[in-house]
């Protein structure tokens, strides 16, 4: 069954440091996509980065990069040079592409950036 | 450009009353549509998704239902609300069978008293 796991309920990082948010997944579909979203206190969902299961290189978007380890079924988000505005909930999500079109989310990690 | 809107933004309802949340997408055709619920401080739980008109897949058995009467309209309903239905409801869409991201509506905050 399709499953997403985020084992870190909360993380702290000092401003300007890098932080890694963990995400593991499980699926029997050979074709899938992995997403990361940011949810600030306002509640809006902000798309950060996408990784396809057949992509050869790790995805990067500005200060965000996705450490994709297919054999380990992990898709960790790395935020470099953290900023105070990065404080938010972060959700990992997966979409199966061959079978259903379900897109499910992990339970999230609350990141707090301190000065 | 594509836009998604859901309403109402905030709703306070008594236990046992009905519910209707509406979501519409503009600027695209045949989108996949999703309803998620987020309890306070928790993750997003997939409630329903639809890949076409009249096609609804339910993920969690509960007293909620969904309908898709038109291509770009997705409605979440309940005949009798429970206290446990309180939460933040998010509608979202994505292009069918592709690798595209999920685009979210503004969310509807439901409080059942």
């Amino acid at each position: 069954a399709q499953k997403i796991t985020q084992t870190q309920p909360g993380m702290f990082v000092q401003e300007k440091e890098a932080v890694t948010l963990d995400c593991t997944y499980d699926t029997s579909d050979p074709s899938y996509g992995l997403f990361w979203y940011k949810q600030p206190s306002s509640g809006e969902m902000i798309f950060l980065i996408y990784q396809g299961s057949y992509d050869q290189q790790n995805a990067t978007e500005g200060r965000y990069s996705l450490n994709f380890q297919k054999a380990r079924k992990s898709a960790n988000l790395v935020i470099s040079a953290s900023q105070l505005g990065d404080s938010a909930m972060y959700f990992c999500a997966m979409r199966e592409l061959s079978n259903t079109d379900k897109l499910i989310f992990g339970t999230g990690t609350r990141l707090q950036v301190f000065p | 450009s594509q836009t998604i809107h859901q309403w109402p933004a905030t709703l306070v309802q008594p236990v046992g009353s009905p519910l209707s949340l509406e979501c519409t997408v503009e600027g695209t055709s045949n989108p996949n549509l999703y309803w998620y619920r987020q309890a306070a401080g928790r993750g997003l739980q997939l409630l329903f998704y639809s890949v076409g008109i009249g096609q609804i897949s339910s993920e969690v058995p509960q007293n909620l239902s969904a309908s898709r009467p038109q291509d770009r309209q997705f409605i979440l309903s309940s005949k009798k609300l429970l206290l446990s239905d309180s939460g933040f409801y998010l509608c979202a869409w994505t292009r069918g069978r592709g690798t595209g991201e999920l685009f979210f509506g503004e969310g509807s905050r439901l409080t059942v008293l």
Side-chain angles (χ1 to χ4, degrees), chain A residues 9-27:
Chain A
M11 290 284 286
F12 288 89
V13 66
Q14 191 166 30
E15 199 176 8
K16 300 180 184 178
E17 296 294 312
V19 63
T20 298
L21 306 184
D22 295 342
C23 174
T24 58
Y25 60 92
D26 191 20
T27 179

Side-chain angles (χ1 to χ4, degrees), chain A residues 39-45, chain B residues 6 8-10 21 35-40 43-45 47 85-91 104-111:
Chain A
Q39 186 182 43
S41 56
S42 60
E44 63 181 311
M45 294 291 287
Chain B
Q6 63 176 106
T10 305
L21 300 178
W35 276 112
Y36 292 88
R37 177 171 61 200
Q38 185 177 27
L44 276 73
Q45 179 187 33
L47 301 176
D85 291 324
S86 293
F88 189 53
Y89 289 81
L90 286 157
C91 180
F104 284 88
E106 307 94 333
S108 298
R109 193 165 301 281
L110 171 66
T111 303

Side-chain angles (χ1 to χ4, degrees), chain A residues 35 37 39 41-47 50 89 91 95-108 110, chain B residues 32 34 36 38 41-44 46 49 51 59 88 90 94-106 109:
Chain A
F35 304 78
Y37 282 83
Q39 186 182 43
S41 56
S42 60
E44 63 181 311
M45 294 291 287
I46 302 169
F47 167 74
Y50 169 83
M89 282 290 287
F91 292 99
R95 179 182 182 184
E96 293 179 334
L97 302 176
S98 298
N99 194 4
T100 70
D101 248 340
K102 287 197 301 184
L103 203 157
I104 64 167
F105 285 77
T107 51
R110 182 169 297 280
Chain B
N32 288 353
Y34 303 80
Y36 292 88
Q38 185 177 27
R42 306 287 294 277
L44 276 73
L46 178 61
Y49 69 101
V51 298
E59 288 298 298
F88 189 53
L90 286 157
T94 187
R95 292 178 181 85
R97 287 302 166 92
T99 57
E101 67 187 86
L102 201 61
F103 299 92
F104 284 88
E106 307 94 333
R109 193 165 301 281

Side-chain angles (χ1 to χ4, degrees), chain A residues 34-71:
Chain A
L34 298 158
F35 304 78
W36 276 93
Y37 282 83
K38 172 184 177 181
Q39 186 182 43
S41 56
S42 60
E44 63 181 311
M45 294 291 287
I46 302 169
F47 167 74
L48 295 178
I49 197 166
Y50 169 83
Q51 178 85 43
S53 58
Y54 293 117
D55 292 344
Q56 296 296 314
Q57 293 187 325
N58 287 345
T60 59
E61 289 287 347
R63 294 186 298 112
Y64 304 108
S65 61
L66 200 152
N67 184 3
F68 181 45
Q69 297 187 45
K70 194 170 183 177

